[in-house]
Each structure stands twice: as structure tokens, then as C-alpha cells.
Amino acid sequence: YPVALSIMKICPALATGCTIVLKPSPGTVLDCYVVAEAAAEAGIPAGVINWVPGGRELGAYLVSHPGIDKVSFTGSTEVGKGVAQTASARLAHLSLELGGKNPSIVFPDAAAPDNIDSLLDGLLLSSRFARQGQSCTAGSRLFLHQDIYDEVLGALSAKLGAMKVGDPLDEASDMGAIINASQFDSIAGYLSEGRES
């Protein structure tokens, strides 16, 4: 997914004839090297796409730099507020894609007997279970119509119970590792909050 996020930033810049400075999340730096290698193999000249790994200090520097005409940020709402404030102070063009709460809504016709497997697969793919819950685009809430609530919830619970958690490089694994301790703590906090409420 970090590769897809990079491509979503790179392609519009290249299509409009612009160079790009890409600062990946510190947790996904190696993914950018894969994209950098592919860009070099594709013949994109050096200096057109520039990868700069670093932390928040580097991000703040880039957002405030007068040589950066456009800032595109994907991340948390809290960090996005700071990015917007810094970029707007110098009237830089700005695009923000910030953490949202994406619901999945299921109506009775989607749970027809001949569609239930497809429905469950779609819910798992678009939910917090894909990429171990580490995706800003994943659904975070599920709304089920009352006529199908018990049926869909039961089938979904059974499918989740059968998932194999293991080595992310093992094709038999359905769910792999959490990227770092901070992300693990965040997920554990949501689980705790859910149990309490």
C-alpha cells in the first residue's frame, strides 16, 4: 500500500511535467526504494523523482521550503492541520488526504444467498482487516441493515475466526505483522476502547 500511495503522488506530478520530492513515512522507507528502482529501470531521469527519507523535522522543512510549490500530504488529521497551517502561511498549493472514518453499509440485497461469499470477501478487503488495519483508506465501521444483521455478522465472525495470522511472507497467512510498536499500541487502544464501550 505504501507503493500505491507513492504512485498516487508521483503520477500527477509527472503527467504535468513537474519534478517531485517524496518523503515517505519513516515506517515505510524501504517501499520507496522499490519504486525508485522501478523509476530508474523505466528511464525516468535522475532528479525528476527525489526520495528523501526522514522524520517529522524533515517533513516540516519540506512543507515550509519556498522551492516547494505544491504540498500533497496523506496522513493523520492532527498532522495535516500543521501541514495546512505551514503551507498556507506561504500560500503554497495544498492537497490533504487525512484520516477519515469510512463506513461499509450493507443492505439486504447485498446479502442474497448467491452473493454472501462475495459480500464477505469485499468486507474483509475494504475493512480494517486488510493490511493488518494499517491503511488510512480502510473501512472502520460496518452498518448492517437490521433484516440481515444476525446472518451477516455471524458469517463474518466465522470467516474472521478462520483467518490465519502469521508470517506476512507466507502465502498461507491471511494477516501478518504490525509495522511498529506505535501502530500496535494504537490498534490495541482501539480494541480496549471497543471492549469498554
Side-chain angles (χ1 to χ4, degrees), residues 71-155:
V71 175
S72 178
F73 173 77
T74 300
S76 73
T77 301
E78 198 57 40
V79 174
K81 288 176 183 178
V83 168
Q85 188 174 32
T86 302
S88 65
R90 61 183 189 84
L91 299 178
H93 295 279
L94 179 64
S95 295
L96 299 171
E97 183 182 10
L98 306 178
K101 294 290 180 194
N102 311 312
S104 296
I105 303 170
V106 183
F107 293 101
D109 60 336
D114 62 335
N115 193 50
I116 194 76
D117 289 335
S118 178
L119 168 66
L120 295 175
D121 290 343
L123 288 173
L124 290 177
L125 183 63
S126 66
S127 71
R128 288 286 179 207
F129 300 102
R131 294 176 291 282
Q132 296 71 248
Q134 302 172 102
S135 170
C136 59
T137 61
S140 57
R141 296 173 291 158
L142 174 60
F143 294 108
L144 299 171
H145 188 278
Q146 62 186 2
D147 292 349
I148 57 167
Y149 181 86
D150 291 333
E151 174 193 358
V152 173
L153 194 58

Side-chain angles (χ1 to χ4, degrees), residues 124 127 129 153-165 175:
L124 290 177
S127 71
F129 300 102
L153 194 58
L156 185 59
S157 295
K159 192 152 184 123
L160 289 171
M163 290 178 77
K164 181 182 177 203
V165 178
M175 190 176 292

Side-chain angles (χ1 to χ4, degrees), residues 13-82:
L14 296 183
T16 56
C18 298
T19 59
I20 184 170
V21 177
L22 184 73
K23 189 206 81 65
S25 163
T28 62
V29 173
L30 294 178
D31 295 281
C32 281
Y33 283 107
V34 171
V35 179
E37 289 173 354
E41 285 181 32
I44 294 175
V48 172
I49 305 173
N50 303 279
W51 283 267
V52 188
R56 290 180 186 226
E57 300 80 21
L58 175 61
Y61 172 77
L62 290 172
V63 171
S64 65
H65 196 284
I68 307 287
D69 297 323
K70 161 91 177 179
V71 175
S72 178
F73 173 77
T74 300
S76 73
T77 301
E78 198 57 40
V79 174
K81 288 176 183 178

